[in-house]
Every structure is written in structure tokens, then in C-alpha cells.
Amino acid sequence: MRRAFSRNSRIFVAGHRGLVGSAIMRRLKAEGYVNLLTADREQLDLRNQADVNSWFRDHRPEIVFLVAGTVGGILANSTRPAEFIYDNLLIHATTVHAAYLYGVQKLMYLGSSCIYPRACSQPIKEEYLLTGPLEPTNEPYAVAKIAGIKLCQSYREQYGCRFVSVIPTNLYGPNDNFDLDSSHVLPALIRKVHEAKLAGQKEVVVWGTGTPRREFLHVDDLADCCLFLMHHYDGSLPLNVGTGTDLTIYELVDRIRKIVYPEVEIVLDAEKPDGMPRKLLDIHRLEELGWRFKISLDEGIAATYQWFMEHQEKATKPPDSNATTLHATQHRVSR
Ligand code: GFB
């Protein structure tokens, strides 16, 4: 298949400051793409269709990586379901629609492995989507993410748009969120073990039973895969992206402990939710296309820990999650 775009294409990375968006930016720059378009939150509210349309009209992107959204770990998903469903539904719909209206040549949308049914057989094949009930701790987010995939498929079917979706497994890496109330497990545990080390604490508290299994992919591998698929994949079926192996949360903490502070003991807080028991992706289709991850989990944890140490102030600041709350307050009508 010919390459989908050139070094001079106008490429919009929607969500360029996040974990995934910043990795895609790094990768595009490293490969010599020169026309990279971005929009900060203050410049463009991606939830507003009129604003998004004007931005597309003014900037005329040819290629779009749609990786913007409100994201977070199990606690943030459970406690802020309204933000997770509202922001994501709107951001995905406005951007896909504007991409259609303004003739974007190709768009890539990123789902998440939490969109598969909670009790799926493992490893999870792409065709298991919408075959059973979702994990309750992240159902609103998962519904929005499924809607994003359906948007891409529907615009492809009705209007012939070249919009593709990928479904990455749990991600981590530089620019991750290390705020303990909203982060995912891997950055949370790097921070907790690091802080235990600084304080000379003997124990680190890990949420849940430690038995759920998770698959982790370094975000630089994901970015590499996104560019590869943008050039070499143009189908309606969303493609799983992962490593093909998983481990328990307990085993993950153990690996982090060995890298950061081997002396610390792991204490489980079983009052906290476990979430999905397992979500290992079947990556056969991806492998058949010729892509495979490169960064091992130990290597990735060590590099992410290094990044965390060098960016502690930025990394531990809670992410800007007030946008929707403000928005909702402004628009609330008194009864
Ligand atoms: O990464 P995580 O928050 O999200 O949690 P999910 C994974 C597992 O790690 C759960 C356990 O079993 C947690 O109980 N865990 C242990 C911890 N200690 C901690 C901790 O200190 N912080 C966190 N956050 N977890 C999310 C979804 O699910 O995955 C999202 O909620 C999204 O929708 C994302 O899809 C990729 O893997 O459970």
C-alpha cells in the first residue's frame, strides 16, 4: 500500500500535550514531518462543534491523529463519570465531523482496551466488541470510546472517509499523569514506591487484590505503531495494539519495587476496586501486518522512572480536569 501522507502533509495531533499525543509529536518530528498542527485548550475547545469547524476551515489539516480526551485511572473513572462521558463523546464527534466536512484525507482514532466486555474470553479478539456487558468502573468512558469507533466506521460507510481506529492496551511512559487521584496504576506505583523510598517507609499500599492482570505498552511503541498503521492500514475494523503478554498488578509492583526501592513491602488494600479481571489483547492482526513492540516492560519502567525524577513538579501536578466542571456550571439552568 502506498504511504498515506508525505513529510509535508499538514498533520493535526488533537491532544498533543497528553501521554499519547506528545509521543506522536515526538515521533513525527523525529521522522522529519514538518507541518505539525496543534491547538491548546485555551485556543480551541474541542467540545464545541462551531469552534472545531472554524479551526479546521482555517488550518486545513490533511491528516488527523485524534488522541484528545478526558482520561484517567480506575478512581477517576469511577468518581467523575459525567466528565468522562460528556467530554469524550463531544470531542470525538466534533473532530470526526469536522474532518469529514473539511476533507481530511485520513484520520486515526484511538479507543481503549476497556471497551471490550468485562467477561470476554482471552486474549481479546477485535470481533468481541459489543458482545457483552462492560466493566462498571469505566462504563461511561467505554461507551464514549465505543461511540468514537462507531463514528469512524459510520463516516467511512456513509461518506467514504478514510477514518481508522486502533484499540491500544494500557499505556505508560513520559508525560504520564502521576497524580494519585487520577493516574493509572503504573505511574501511581512508580510515585508511591519512590515516595516510600524518600520517606524511608517500609510499606507501599497497592489498591485492590493485586490479582487483576494488565498488559502494558510503552507509549513510544504505540506512537511508532500509529504511524505505521496510518501508512499501512485502511480498514473499518478497529485494530488491537499491544504486546501480547500481561502480568498481575502484584507482579507489576514487584517489578517497580525492584527498580525503584527493593526493600519496600507490598501491602494490598482490598477495599479499593480491582476493575476488569483481565484484558489481554489478541494482536494477531497487527503482527500479520508486520508490526511488533520494541520496549520491554523493565526497560520502559526504568525510563519512565527516570523521566518522573527529572520532571517531578510537572508530573505530580493534577491534570487540568476543571474545564468541563466550569463549562457545566456556566450552562446550568436554575429550575
Ligand atoms: O490503571 P488503572 O487505574 O486502570 O488500574 P484499569 C489498574 C489496576 O491497578 C486496578 C490497581 O486493579 C487497580 O485496583 N491499582 C493498584 C491501582 N494500585 C493502584 C493505584 O495506586 N492507582 C491505580 N490507578 N490503580 C482503566 C480504565 O482501567 O484503564 C480506563 O478505568 C482506561 O477506562 C484505562 O481504559 C486504560 O486498567 O483498571
Side-chain angles (χ1 to χ4, degrees):
M1 190 187 290
R2 68 181 173 85
R3 289 173 78 80
F5 55 105
S6 75
R7 296 278 187 285
N8 292 317
S9 297
R10 299 172 63 74
I11 306 173
F12 176 35
V13 180
H16 69 290
R17 289 201 187 281
L19 171 69
V20 175
S22 60
I24 291 179
M25 290 292 289
R26 278 196 300 281
R27 184 77 196 177
L28 288 166
K29 285 179 188 164
E31 298 227 348
Y33 293 93
V34 287
N35 273 323
L36 304 185
L37 307 171
T38 58
D40 283 324
R41 271 172 201 235
E42 304 74 48
Q43 288 173 282
L44 174 62
D45 182 350
L46 283 170
R47 297 168 303 182
N48 183 313
Q49 187 74 64
D51 291 355
V52 176
N53 288 354
S54 315
W55 192 91
F56 270 71
R57 194 185 52 231
D58 294 346
H59 294 85
R60 293 284 171 178
E62 296 162 299
I63 299 295
V64 174
F65 288 94
L66 175 45
V67 295
T70 293
V71 297
I74 193 165
L75 181 67
N77 264 274
S78 322
T79 53
R80 293 165 34 210
E83 278 175 68
F84 276 74
I85 191 162
Y86 177 82
D87 286 2
N88 291 309
L89 276 176
L90 290 185
I91 289 169
H92 305 158
T94 59
T95 311
V96 165
H97 191 61
Y100 153 65
L101 289 179
Y102 294 96
V104 163
Q105 288 165 20
K106 197 155 184 194
L107 175 144
M108 176 174 282
Y109 171 77
L110 263 67
S112 161
S113 57
C114 70
I115 68 178
Y116 286 112
R118 182 176 202 274
C120 251
S121 52
Q122 309 277 327
I124 307 174
K125 294 184 195 301
E126 286 90 349
E127 43 271 55
Y128 297 168
L129 193 62
L130 291 169
T131 57
L134 298 165
E135 156 64 33
T137 55
N138 59 36
E139 190 186 77
Y141 176 74
V143 165
K145 283 278 164 189
I146 293 170
I149 288 172
K150 289 293 157 194
L151 278 160
C152 292
Q153 290 176 331
S154 304
Y155 278 68
R156 169 180 280 275
E157 190 182 317
Q158 187 174 344
Y159 304 124
C161 298
R162 293 169 69 209
F163 295 170
V164 298
S165 301
V166 300
I167 305 182
T169 188
N170 285 39
L171 303 167
Y172 71 98
N175 283 316
D176 212 336
N177 167 19
F178 290 78
D179 168 57
L180 296 180
D181 289 335
S182 54
S183 61
H184 290 98
V185 60
L186 195 148
L189 290 171
I190 287 183
R191 179 174 174 181
K192 283 184 184 176
V193 176
H194 173 71
E195 290 181 351
K197 178 178 164 180
L198 290 188
Q201 283 165 10
K202 290 198 174 67
E203 296 176 346
V204 64
V205 176
V206 173
W207 298 349
T209 59
T211 56
R213 300 185 71 87
R214 293 290 181 272
E215 175 186 10
F216 295 94
L217 179 71
H218 192 282
V219 74
D220 285 343
D221 273 336
L222 175 79
D224 180 58
C225 186
C226 287
L227 255 72
F228 171 83
L229 290 177
M230 199 59 134
H231 285 300
H232 301 294
Y233 180 68
D234 190 18
S236 170
L237 188 78
L239 284 186
N240 286 342
V241 178
T243 63
T245 50
D246 63 0
L247 74 178
T248 66
I249 294 301
Y250 194 92
E251 287 164 341
L252 172 74
V253 197
D254 196 39
R255 292 213 191 184
I256 294 175
R257 165 173 77 165
K258 283 185 180 128
I259 290 167
V260 178
Y261 180 29
E263 295 78 17
V264 80
E265 280 172 35
I266 300 166
V267 175
L268 297 169
D269 174 4
E271 296 292 304
K272 293 279 193 307
D274 269 344
M276 220 139 131
R278 193 176 189 196
K279 42 180 172 173
L280 176 65
L281 296 179
D282 183 315
I283 52 166
H284 275 95
R285 285 200 171 88
L286 186 62
E287 287 184 331
E288 275 163 21
L289 285 170
W291 189 87
R292 204 181 142 69
F293 78 103
K294 294 189 190 72
I295 304 170
S296 73
L297 184 56
D298 284 338
E299 207 184 326
I301 293 172
T304 306
Y305 180 42
Q306 185 63 33
W307 185 91
F308 171 71
M309 303 250 276
E310 288 163 9
H311 300 84
Q312 277 195 56
E313 201 185 330
K314 176 183 171 193
T316 53
K317 222 171 84 183
D320 173 19
S321 61
N322 288 330
T324 316
T325 319
L326 288 172
H327 184 86
T329 312
Q330 282 160 9
H331 289 82
R332 230 156 76 191
V333 181
S334 41
R335 290 168 206 221

